[in-house]
């Protein structure tokens, strides 16, 4: 199977320091988190998307919607400049995944599955979101149901059958109802301790390619504290590493995003944990 190929110069690390999609108490920490994540990878392959650093206007049930719209346009422009190379996107809040996932859908169509490692399902709409934070709506928007300014094109939209939720454990009632009604595949933290179960779930979609979304809050905060929205009962870093290796050993990697890193005083320890998780993945 093919990976992201960062070591052979065939791919790009796209650093997207967007914080405005977050409804967390300290959202601006995500800017530092994006740059810190980017620093884990070779400088020659890094491209930083210029994001408006200020707040925006709340509109149609979404916080800072005007800034998020401009951020999406900037990210799309950066992707156009990158071309066809493989992509690792690092943020920033989960909203940064809009353009990278849409790009993967347009390229691979029904042969793509998206594995959503996240303590949250991110399947709210502006009408159901309790916070108005877009990071809790991004996956639903990728399905074509979200704020009109941020919707992907018709050929860039996921279908529910292409999604595998991994480690979600803090879900709003409307999200639970949607997951059940759509039959979206979902694996618990306990199930993810057996990588073959995740591989089987993805294989069940019929996919040959996988886009991996990694919100770091899928980890248990006892083992990694640099989280924007920590939730107890998460994955151990070693179990996450095994799950990632299971995926990359079975499927071609269409892209990957790493989000929601909010480093504080423990930044050095956090970097060590991240390096351990990513060690041996198909990028240095």
């Amino acid at each position: 199977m093919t990976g992201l190929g960062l070591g052979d110069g065939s791919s790009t690390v796209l650093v997207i320091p967007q914080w405005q999609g977050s409804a967390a108490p300290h959202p601006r920490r995500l800017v530092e988190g994006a740059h810190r994540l980017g620093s884990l990878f070779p400088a020659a392959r890094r491209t930083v998307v210029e994001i408006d650093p200020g707040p925006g206007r709340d509109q149609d049930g979404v916080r800072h919607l005007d800034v998020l719209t401009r951020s999406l346009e900037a990210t799309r422009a950066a992707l156009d400049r990158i071309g066809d190379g493989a992509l690792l996107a690092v943020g920033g809040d989960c909203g940064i995944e809009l353009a990278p996932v849409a790009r993967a859908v347009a390229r691979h169509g029904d042969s793509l599955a998206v594995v959503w490692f996240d303590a949250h399902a991110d399947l709210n709409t502006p009408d159901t979101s309790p916070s108005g934070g877009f990071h809790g709506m991004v996956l639903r928007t990728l399905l074509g149901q979200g704020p009109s300014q941020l919707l992907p094109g018709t050929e860039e939209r996921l279908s529910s059958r292409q999604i595998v939720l991994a480690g979600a454990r803090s879900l709003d009632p409307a999200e639970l109802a949607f997951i059940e009604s759509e039959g979206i595949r979902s694996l618990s933290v306990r199930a993810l301790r057996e990588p073959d179960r995740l591989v089987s779930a993805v294989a069940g979609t019929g996919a040959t390619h996988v886009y991996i979304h990694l919100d770091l809050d899928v980890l248990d905060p006892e083992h990694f504290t640099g989280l924007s929205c920590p939730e107890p009962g998460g994955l151990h870093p070693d179990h996450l590493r095994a799950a990632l290796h299971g995926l990359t050993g079975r499927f071609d990697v269409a892209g990957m995003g790493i989000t929601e890193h909010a480093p504080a005083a423990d930044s050095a320890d956090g970097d060590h944990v991240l390096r351990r998780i990513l060690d041996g993945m198909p990028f240095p």
Side-chain angles (χ1 to χ4, degrees), residues 73-217:
E73 293 169 354
T75 303
R76 285 172 172 164
L79 290 173
D80 287 343
R81 291 191 296 271
I82 289 167
D84 293 334
L87 175 72
L88 171 65
V90 298
D93 65 73
C94 288
I96 69 136
E97 292 280 44
L98 264 185
V101 175
R103 174 182 184 258
V105 175
R107 181 171 299 174
H108 299 289
D110 290 341
S111 68
L112 180 76
V114 173
V115 178
W116 203 259
F117 285 99
D118 201 314
H120 311 90
D122 299 345
L123 285 169
N124 273 304
T125 67
D127 290 334
T128 66
S129 171
S131 69
F134 181 70
H135 65 169
M137 310 178 204
V138 58
L139 188 53
R140 189 70 170 266
T141 302
L142 283 162
L143 288 165
Q145 303 171 40
S148 60
Q149 298 91 327
L150 302 178
L151 287 177
T154 303
E155 300 300 318
E156 300 175 321
R157 297 180 186 180
L158 285 168
S159 65
S160 295
R161 70 158 191 83
Q162 293 176 278
I163 296 170
V164 179
L165 301 176
R169 56 193 186 277
S170 178
L171 305 174
D172 294 316
E175 292 179 303
L176 286 166
F178 183 75
I179 291 166
E180 182 176 355
S181 68
E182 293 291 309
I184 294 175
R185 293 172 173 85
S186 182
L187 278 78
S188 67
V189 169
R190 180 179 293 275
L192 290 173
R193 296 172 186 169
E194 302 175 49
D196 287 348
R197 295 183 64 177
L198 177 59
V199 170
S200 295
V202 176
T205 70
T208 57
H209 293 71
V210 62
Y211 186 99
I212 301 170
H213 163 76
L214 174 55
D215 181 332
L216 293 171
D217 69 18

Side-chain angles (χ1 to χ4, degrees), residues 16 18-21 49-52 54-60 62-78 93 95-96 98-99 134 141 146-152:
I16 312 172
Q18 174 183 290
W19 63 268
Q20 293 90 343
V49 179
E50 295 297 326
I51 300 295
D52 187 337
R57 295 190 306 274
D58 297 355
Q59 183 180 348
D60 300 332
V62 181
R63 297 186 185 188
H64 313 296
L65 181 57
D66 57 332
V67 175
L68 293 174
T69 302
R70 293 196 296 272
S71 296
L72 176 59
E73 293 169 354
T75 303
R76 285 172 172 164
D93 65 73
I96 69 136
L98 264 185
F134 181 70
T141 302
S148 60
Q149 298 91 327
L150 302 178
L151 287 177

